[in-house]
Amino acid sequence: GGPRRRVVRNDENAVTSNGAVVNDVPWQEIGPIERPSGNGSARGIGPMEFLAFYAPGPSRMLAGSTAGGLFYSRDSGTTWLRTGTDTKIGRPGVSSAVFHPSSSQTWFAASAGNSSDNDALWIGPTGGIFRTTDEGATWKRIATQGQLGGVWTKIFLLVIHPSDGNQLWAATSNGVYFSSDAMATSPTWNLGAFAGEAGYDFGGGAG
């Protein structure tokens, strides 16, 4: 597998007369740093793949690992909470997650097939895109393998509209999927751009 990574931060920068930024304060590890169970387990839950911030209140953060799952902080990373992805979405790995633009309790997460090599694995029969409206206490699968091109699909990135929580994009190994009703009981999904091709990153209409 790839190197284990955790979230670090640096709270102070110095700006020189020519505008260059000089970082002279050591980086501080802020986790998550729980030790997995079992013999020989390494410290941490990495590799960590992404951070997501709740725009109206950036002290609320999501941190995701393709192996360890999704973690949540309400205090800028001082403390981290499990979000239930280890028991409630099949295999626990998460490749991408986003906040609803106007609800800090509502998130969307893409399963990663419990990958340990820094990249999403296929979603299989139990994976897909999941939604929680209660900070991870419960999860609902809102996009199945049947809606996303099959069990071999990999989901690389989720992007949500900055003001409309119903508009959600998913960049996958089969192209970019889009839902205009992501908050519905059973959202609809349509394959849009790059059908049949892997989409790893995009700005889309959410920029």
Side-chain angles (χ1 to χ4, degrees):
R4 295 184 180 275
R5 289 179 283 177
R6 295 176 295 276
V7 181
V8 294
R9 71 180 176 198
N10 186 299
D11 294 325
E12 296 184 20
N13 291 322
V15 180
T16 64
S17 58
N18 64 0
V21 177
V22 178
N23 235 325
D24 57 0
V25 178
W27 285 85
Q28 172 191 355
E29 180 182 346
I30 63 173
I33 55 174
E34 289 188 48
R35 185 185 299 275
S37 60
N39 295 328
S41 296
R43 184 174 175 85
I45 49 79
M48 298 303 298
E49 290 303 311
F50 66 88
L51 286 174
F53 296 85
Y54 180 55
S59 61
R60 296 179 181 269
M61 306 162 56
L62 295 170
S65 165
T66 56
L70 189 65
F71 294 80
Y72 175 50
S73 176
R74 300 187 182 104
D75 52 16
S76 300
T78 301
T79 58
W80 292 91
L81 303 170
R82 299 177 184 176
T83 65
T85 57
D86 54 337
T87 60
K88 298 172 183 175
I89 69 165
R91 292 178 290 181
V94 171
S95 59
S96 183
V98 292
F99 284 97
H100 187 285
S102 59
S103 172
S104 63
Q105 295 184 322
T106 300
W107 322 325
F108 301 89
S111 61
N114 205 22
S115 172
S116 61
D117 63 357
N118 304 358
D119 198 1
L121 288 180
W122 49 87
I123 59 178
T126 61
I129 299 173
F130 295 79
R131 180 185 67 211
T132 178
T133 57
D134 50 18
E135 296 184 325
T138 59
W139 288 90
K140 176 180 175 60
R141 184 162 62 157
I142 62 168
T144 68
Q145 76 278 4
Q147 295 170 293
L148 299 174
V151 296
W152 301 110
T153 297
K154 300 177 181 180
I155 306 171
F156 303 115
L157 181 70
L158 298 180
V159 174
I160 196 164
H161 192 280
S163 60
D164 184 353
N166 273 303
Q167 297 191 41
L168 184 65
W169 289 259
T172 79
S173 55
N174 291 324
V176 177
Y177 288 83
F178 170 68
S179 176
S180 61
D181 58 355
M183 289 300 295
T185 301
S186 299
T188 56
W189 291 89
N190 295 294
L191 179 59
F194 312 110
E197 301 180 8
Y200 291 91
D201 198 0
F202 62 97

